[in-house]
Amino acid sequence: MVKKFTIINALAVDASADDLDALDADPDVLDISLDALLVGSSTYTSKSDVQTAAPLQATLGLPAQKLTGKNVGVVVIDSGLAANGDFDGTKFYDFTSAATNNAYDDYGHGTHVAGLIASKGSLSQNAYAGIASGARLIALKVLDAQGCGSTSTVISAIEFATANKAALGVDIINLSLGHPILEPAATDPLVQSVEAAIRAGIVVVVSAGNVGKNIVTGMPGYAGILSPGNAPSAITVGALDTANTTARADDVVPTYSSRGPTWYDAFAKPDLVAPGQNLVSDAAIGSTLFNNYPDRQVTVAGGQTRFLRLSGTSMSAAVTSGVAALLIEASRTATGATPSPDTIKQVLEYTALPLDGVDGLTQGHGALNGAGAIALMSAIAGSTGAAVPDVVATVSPQSTTIAGQTLPWAQTVVWGNTVVWGNTVVWGNTVVWGNTVVWGNTVVWGNTVVWGNTVVWGNTVVWGNTVVWGNVNDSR
């Protein structure tokens, strides 16, 4: 088997051990990577699930907004899509071995993710409409009935979306999946395909992963970011538990949400966190998730069980993709121009709402702020060619009021690897992030983590250069 990827100038091949030795000795071969197995970043075993849908749009400050993501194209690379009245006009392409032209989702993860982004809300009387209900969905199936797929299949889907950006009207790619980081970002084929898509003008939103908790002790740990969440230019999203309320004061980052830094490169990820706990969205009836987790099924008026309640950074990425679609519509409404992926990322970072007492490698710049991001994007789009930082300086107030509480924006942006925008981030060979992280060859984090060749976590050493912490091959 040989599969060629022009997007990253690479081949996927079946190779024996002897073949690998020969390839390793070939001077024309720059690098060899594993075609790793990856899975969707959802978790289904929470014992604290509630029976009502979280007021998702309200906690993002969105009810007063009239934007719907109209005509914004969102590619969902996942387990497929179950066709129903919430997904009229969706395009579907199957990259699995059972490729078909008929939309389906035998696992159920992709349908849930797609619903959070752009469900029309028809089946739930708008109770579970997506964040960007007017967006155009393009579903690319890469995961099988068990929610598993290969890295090469995902790269094929990313390459397809990038090559057909104009023909399909692709603006955003949502990747609610990942695998453990096995090599530096510069040689990781999945990361490099994401970076190529971003260079082509596509916003790429990626789940951070659900390996933030030690499966034995239940304690939160660090460096659990999955690939391609370590892609520097991607918007990497961790999870936020809103406690099913609109107010932000009770929001927390659940222990399963993967924290930074990234393996090998020590990138500061995630970029932000977004609602991801106990979110209700469309179910793929008869799928693996629907059948295996009947306690997660949700019934709406009329007694029909058409929805599923899931948690995880998969859901958080989907919510963020929905808000990104609203930002693109806001810019196009103001000027007709589509903002760059960098601008979308910077706006989301700058307007994020920091959580008190939570470090930067857990929450990134803070929690997703839909209303604030739209306000800032509208100001930037309405400017007449002024530099983005100059426009931002004129925006006032730099805060958002949700449930009667006025919350200040993060007002920090990491722009590329070196540019600083804000008052609290210094980034070069050494990073000082807020008051908690000092980063160079060594990280000193609060009173609990020392990072060099070995991490000391509390009083216990949990990993060095080669130890894999937790069962990171399974993000469920």
Side-chain angles (χ1 to χ4, degrees):
M1 184 276 292
V2 178
K3 189 184 299 182
K4 184 176 182 179
F5 303 111
T6 58
I7 192 173
I8 53 172
N9 192 27
L11 298 173
V13 300
D14 290 326
S16 66
D18 290 340
D19 292 333
L20 288 176
D21 288 338
L23 288 169
D24 189 44
D26 189 333
D28 292 328
V29 176
L30 297 180
D31 198 67
I32 301 172
S33 300
L34 178 69
D35 190 2
L37 180 73
L38 42 70
V39 296
S41 298
S42 297
T43 179
Y44 333 110
T45 56
S46 171
K47 301 301 183 183
S48 60
D49 286 359
V50 293
Q51 295 301 310
T52 58
L56 184 56
Q57 300 213 11
T59 200
L60 295 173
L62 294 177
Q65 302 295 336
K66 296 181 180 178
L67 300 172
T68 66
K70 182 179 180 181
N71 293 326
V72 176
V74 183
V75 171
V76 179
I77 298 178
D78 214 290
S79 63
L81 187 77
N84 63 44
D86 282 340
F87 301 116
D88 292 340
T90 299
K91 294 184 180 297
F92 176 85
Y93 301 88
D94 193 350
F95 289 80
T96 67
S97 58
T100 175
N101 292 326
N102 298 318
Y104 73 106
D105 184 0
D106 46 1
Y107 183 51
H109 189 268
T111 300
H112 194 278
V113 166
L116 289 173
I117 297 170
S119 167
K120 307 299 183 189
S122 302
L123 302 182
S124 63
Q125 294 77 53
N126 289 320
Y128 305 125
I131 296 294
S133 59
R136 293 180 295 99
L137 288 171
I138 303 108
L140 307 187
K141 179 174 172 61
V142 298
L143 303 182
D144 63 17
Q146 278 64 56
C148 299
S150 67
T151 296
S152 59
T153 303
V154 176
I155 294 173
S156 291
I158 294 172
E159 182 172 70
F160 174 83
T162 305
N164 291 280
K165 179 181 183 295
L168 295 176
V170 176
D171 297 299
I172 300 167
I173 293 175
N174 186 92
L175 290 167
S176 290
L177 43 74
H179 66 68
I181 295 173
L182 304 174
E183 58 188 299
T187 60
D188 185 327
L190 185 54
V191 168
Q192 289 309 304
S193 67
V194 166
E195 292 291 327
I198 295 169
R199 287 194 298 272
I202 300 172
V203 177
V204 181
V205 181
V206 184
S207 56
N210 297 339
V211 288
K213 180 173 69 173
N214 187 302
I215 60 175
V216 176
T217 67
M219 292 177 62
Y222 297 89
I225 301 293
L226 300 182
S227 172
N230 57 327
S233 303
I235 301 169
T236 305
V237 188
L240 184 71
D241 183 352
T242 66
N244 200 41
T245 66
T246 299
R248 292 299 190 99
D250 55 0
D251 292 2
V252 297
V253 177
T255 53
Y256 62 75
S257 183
S258 289
R259 294 148 170 82
T262 66
W263 278 102
Y264 293 97
D265 303 294
F267 293 151
K269 291 281 187 171
D271 298 298
L272 69 157
V273 293
Q277 184 73 12
N278 302 327
L279 300 191
V280 178
S281 183
D282 289 77
I285 309 303
S287 67
T288 301
L289 292 182
F290 187 83
N291 291 337
N292 289 356
Y293 299 95
D295 57 323
R296 303 296 184 262
Q297 296 174 8
V298 176
T299 301
V300 295
Q304 293 182 311
T305 303
R306 291 180 168 176
F307 301 90
L308 206 61
R309 184 188 312 106
L310 297 177
S311 300
T313 58
S314 282
M315 290 62 253
S316 305
V319 171
T320 304
S321 288
V323 171
L326 302 184
L327 298 186
I328 292 173
E329 184 190 4
S331 178
R332 289 175 177 170
T333 299
T335 66
T338 299
S340 70
D342 272 351
T343 299
I344 296 287
K345 182 176 181 179
Q346 293 153 18
V347 166
L348 292 175
E349 290 175 342
Y350 193 89
T351 58
L353 305 175
L355 283 74
D356 291 339
V358 181
D359 59 76
L361 295 179
T362 295
Q363 66 171 321
H365 293 268
L368 180 65
N369 173 13
I374 290 170
L376 181 56
M377 178 56 72
S378 298
I380 293 171
S383 66
T384 56
V388 171
D390 293 338
V391 176
V392 171
T394 68
V395 177
S396 181
Q398 295 199 353
S399 62
T400 300
T401 300
I402 296 175
Q405 183 182 11
T406 300
L407 305 164
W409 298 350
Q411 300 178 45
T412 57
V413 172
V414 177
W415 201 333
N417 291 323
T418 58
V419 179
V420 180
W421 174 16
N423 297 319
T424 61
V425 179
V426 179
W427 193 298
N429 293 324
T430 301
V431 177
V432 180
W433 192 330
N435 296 319
T436 58
V437 180
V438 179
W439 192 320
N441 293 323
T442 302
V443 175
V444 180
W445 188 347
N447 297 318
T448 58
V449 178
V450 179
W451 184 296
N453 291 323
T454 304
V455 175
V456 180
W457 185 6
N459 295 318
T460 305
V461 177
V462 292
W463 66 66
N465 285 330
T466 58
V467 178
V468 177
W469 167 64
N471 184 13
V472 295
N473 288 310
D474 184 354
S475 67
R476 289 175 289 178

